[in-house]
Amino acid sequence: MRNKAYISLGSNIGNRVEYLHEAVRMLDGQEKIKLVSISSIYETDPVGYVEQDPFLNIVLEVRTSLSPLDLLHVCQSVENELGRKRVIRWGPRTIDLDILLYNHENIESEKLNIPHPRIEERAFVMIPLLEIAPTIQLPNKSMPLIESNEFLQGKEGVR
Ligand SMILES: Nc1nc2nc(S)n(CCO)c2c(=O)[nH]1
């Protein structure tokens, strides 16, 4: 399995830890996906639609022989299996899986944008990602994320 991908998982309804564990078990159970690393679980305030409960977030590193689109389909089937109902866009969800990175590829399509467009604005993504991949560098960037991201450098808002 020569492809490396990073996946962000979040849950803010019900037994959040169990939903995360079950989603990880389902991903790792796929023959074409191998779990390599899993971050700590972070409790995070909701961003986007803020009238909802806090999330638990993790980031995984996986190896896979699946194409980005097929990996997306697997993530979507895990969401459906665990009862994700898109009642309110950006609203509460039992489980949410977002593909953050796939090798060093840039993918822009209707169904899939990689790197995930909001990686650099979301501490709930960057902190667990950097925990498991401290030297990660986003495609088309000349520096590692930890150096290039203003948010992480504490410069955000300082002009
Ligand atoms: N803290 C936090 N806020 C979020 N807002 C949305 S939408 N989501 C779902 C992922 O896009 C989250 C999340 O996973 N964590």
Side-chain angles (χ1 to χ4, degrees), residues 63-159:
R63 293 287 184 282
T64 183
S65 54
L66 294 173
S67 70
L69 214 47
D70 287 339
L71 182 60
L72 173 68
H73 292 152
V74 168
C75 291
Q76 290 171 336
S77 64
V78 169
E79 287 180 341
N80 294 336
E81 187 92 6
L82 293 180
R84 156 84 177 271
K85 296 278 177 287
R86 274 186 184 271
V87 177
I88 309 169
R89 185 162 162 66
W90 312 100
R93 66 268 327 269
T94 51
I95 192 75
D96 187 88
L97 285 80
D98 290 320
I99 302 172
L100 301 174
L101 299 164
Y102 186 97
N103 297 331
H104 263 86
E105 296 180 29
N106 279 292
I107 299 165
E108 276 188 47
S109 72
E110 198 179 308
K111 289 186 177 175
L112 188 57
N113 286 299
I114 292 180
H116 188 284
R118 289 180 288 284
I119 286 185
E120 295 209 73
E121 305 153 23
R122 292 175 155 186
F124 72 80
V125 166
M126 285 192 288
I127 303 303
L129 174 60
L130 288 164
E131 178 192 339
I132 62 173
T135 61
I136 194 83
Q137 190 157 325
L138 302 187
N140 292 342
K141 294 279 182 175
S142 57
M143 286 184 284
L145 178 63
I146 191 75
E147 291 171 34
S148 64
N149 184 268
E150 288 200 349
F151 180 95
L152 294 169
Q153 293 296 321
K155 299 190 185 87
E156 193 195 37
V158 177
R159 292 283 174 259

